[in-house]
């Protein structure tokens, strides 16, 4: 399928945050917003076609996630990233930032410490601080034009109040695809100090040739049980507005705690357009016939 990445799409007057609120956000309307989280390319045609098909159905009621939804996602992760996950590990939220905030609230207490590794995605500090947790910075090191983790600094900042680290894997915005060896070293430090690793892997499909993404939790069972992995189709397919993310939690107790938090906030339901499935003629005819009985 051919895609034209040179075509310019006018997004003004579409309620686009990056284009219609430029002046409000940056104090100047005569600039070009260069976001990486919201691209100006159209979604893949199969996605557009499925959304149109769902819209044509004309009824947008409460929508459940079918087994095929979870199987499809698990199959994608296995094919693309060589990580075999079970569908019961998967939970969903309206977005990764929503999930991160819930995770911070659920697995830490006020005034606990949460580590991030700047320069990093700008909402991370707010997620920690707005939830009354103490922010701890473990800055990346720039060595010969390549960003690396500073493990010595990390170890020096760990104390009994540190309960969590939010890992950006691959890292936004420095573009590092962390190697398995780098993640193993980080994971061993966190396991030794009983620190929950929350891995934001939103960019896991956007990898240059010659590099391979390693899901943190895929490295070992110990890392899987001591981590939560956050993913979404938003970056891969430019679908942020559909408000859908997949949160992978292999540990049963942690999964139950996250699920309870979702239910308390009534965030368990899905956006109908986040998982469109076209009704088949067989299904529709069966419904029509049943309604006539």
């Amino acid at each position: 399928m051919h895609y034209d990445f040179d075509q310019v799409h006018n997004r003004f007057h579409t309620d686009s945050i990056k284009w219609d609120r430029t002046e409000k956000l940056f104090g100047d309307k005569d600039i070009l917003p260069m976001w990486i989280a919201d691209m100006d390319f159209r979604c893949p045609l199969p996605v557009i076609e499925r959304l149109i098909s769902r819209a044509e159905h004309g009824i947008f009621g409460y929508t459940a996630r079918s087994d095929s939804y979870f199987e499809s996602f698990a199959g994608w992760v296995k094919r693309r990233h060589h990580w075999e996950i079970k569908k019961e590990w998967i939970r969903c939220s309206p977005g990764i930032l929503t999930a991160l905030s819930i995770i911070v609230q659920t697995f830490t207490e006020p005034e606990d410490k949460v580590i991030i590794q700047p320069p990093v995605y700008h909402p991370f500090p707010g997620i920690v601080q707005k939830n009354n947790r103490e922010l701890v910075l473990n800055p990346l090191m720039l060595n010969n034009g390549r960003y690396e983790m500073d493990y010595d600094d990390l170890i020096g900042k760990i104390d009994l109040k540190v309960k969590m680290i939010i890992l950006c894997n691959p890292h936004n915005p420095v573009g590092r695809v962390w190697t398995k060896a780098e993640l193993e070293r980080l994971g061993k430090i966190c396991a030794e100090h009983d620190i929950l690793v929350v891995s934001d892997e939103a960019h896991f499909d956007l990898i240059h040739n010659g590099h391979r993404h390693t899901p943190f939790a895929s490295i070992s069972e110990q890392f899987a049980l001591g981590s939560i992995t956050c993913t979404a189709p938003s970056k891969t397919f430019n679908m942020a507005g559909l408000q859908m993310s997949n949160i992978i939690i292999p540990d049963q107790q942690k999964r139950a705690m996250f699920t309870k938090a979702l239910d308390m906030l009534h965030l368990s339901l899905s956006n109908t357009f986040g998982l469109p499935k076209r009704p088949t003629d067989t299904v529709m005819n069966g419904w029509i016939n049943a309604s006539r009985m």
Side-chain angles (χ1 to χ4, degrees):
M1 188 173 292
H2 175 72
Y3 291 96
D4 182 2
F5 293 105
D6 294 322
Q7 183 178 354
V8 177
H9 299 280
N10 184 358
R11 297 183 61 191
F12 283 110
H13 310 299
T14 63
D15 295 323
S16 165
I17 293 177
K18 67 182 286 190
W19 289 103
D20 289 330
R21 297 196 178 184
T22 301
E23 186 172 12
K24 181 177 180 180
L25 288 173
F26 305 108
D28 189 344
K29 63 180 180 181
D30 191 26
I31 60 175
L32 292 176
M34 300 180 67
W35 292 23
I36 60 173
D38 182 350
M39 300 175 286
D40 294 315
F41 306 124
R42 299 189 78 196
C43 288
L45 186 58
V47 173
I48 297 172
E49 290 175 341
R50 185 60 63 90
L51 290 172
I52 291 173
S53 173
R54 185 64 185 86
E56 287 176 340
H57 183 234
I59 301 174
F60 313 116
Y62 297 119
T63 309
R65 305 173 193 92
S66 64
D67 285 343
S68 64
Y69 172 88
F70 296 104
E71 291 165 359
S72 176
F73 174 67
W76 177 272
V77 173
K78 182 178 181 179
R79 292 190 304 274
R80 297 276 299 190
H81 306 296
H82 313 286
W83 180 25
E84 191 160 354
I85 64 176
K86 298 178 180 179
K87 62 183 181 181
E88 58 263 28
W89 294 356
I90 306 166
R91 292 296 180 267
C92 301
S93 82
I96 288 180
L97 293 179
T98 302
L100 290 177
S101 187
I102 293 172
I103 290 167
V104 168
Q105 293 175 15
T106 303
F107 297 98
T108 65
E109 298 293 335
E111 299 183 4
D112 279 347
K113 295 180 179 179
V114 179
I115 296 174
I116 65 171
Q117 298 176 308
V120 73
Y121 188 38
H122 67 90
F124 281 10
I127 286 173
V128 177
Q129 294 172 320
K130 290 177 182 178
N131 282 298
N132 298 317
R133 274 59 171 174
E134 184 175 339
L135 182 67
V136 178
L137 303 182
N138 170 224
L140 302 179
M141 301 183 296
L142 184 59
N143 292 327
N144 298 318
R146 175 184 172 90
Y147 280 96
E148 298 175 349
M149 294 190 199
D150 189 339
Y151 301 102
D152 292 335
D153 178 77
L154 174 63
I155 293 171
K157 289 176 176 174
I158 292 176
D159 59 26
L160 294 178
K161 292 182 66 177
V162 174
K163 304 297 183 183
M164 178 184 299
I165 182 170
I166 302 178
L167 170 69
C168 205
N169 176 39
H171 196 282
N172 171 17
V174 308
R176 273 302 314 280
V177 179
W178 302 118
T179 65
K180 183 178 180 181
E182 288 174 311
L183 294 173
E184 283 181 328
R185 188 172 177 185
L186 174 70
K188 288 177 181 178
I189 294 171
C190 293
E192 181 180 349
H193 295 88
D194 194 25
I195 297 171
L196 176 64
V197 177
V198 182
S199 187
D200 176 0
E201 305 193 7
H203 292 87
F204 69 166
D205 289 314
L206 303 178
I207 309 297
H208 284 299
N209 291 335
H211 300 272
R212 174 178 168 180
H213 171 70
T214 301
F216 176 84
S218 72
I219 296 175
S220 71
E221 182 179 7
Q222 181 186 33
F223 286 9
L225 295 176
S227 67
I228 296 174
T229 303
C230 302
T231 73
S234 53
K235 304 301 186 293
T236 305
F237 301 109
N238 198 29
M239 295 164 51
L242 293 184
Q243 295 287 286
M244 193 69 185
S245 66
N246 297 298
I247 313 303
I248 307 168
I249 313 176
D251 182 80
Q252 183 176 359
Q253 183 178 3
K254 293 182 180 66
R255 190 166 63 249
M257 292 172 66
F258 182 77
T259 302
K260 181 180 179 180
L262 282 177
D263 290 342
M264 288 175 59
L265 296 169
H266 295 279
L267 291 173
S268 299
L269 292 176
S270 297
N271 175 357
T272 299
F273 286 92
L275 34 96
K277 189 173 183 180
R278 183 175 184 176
T280 63
D281 291 340
T282 301
V283 172
M284 291 304 296
N285 287 337
W287 179 85
I288 293 171
N289 291 334
S291 68
R292 290 172 175 169
M293 292 180 180

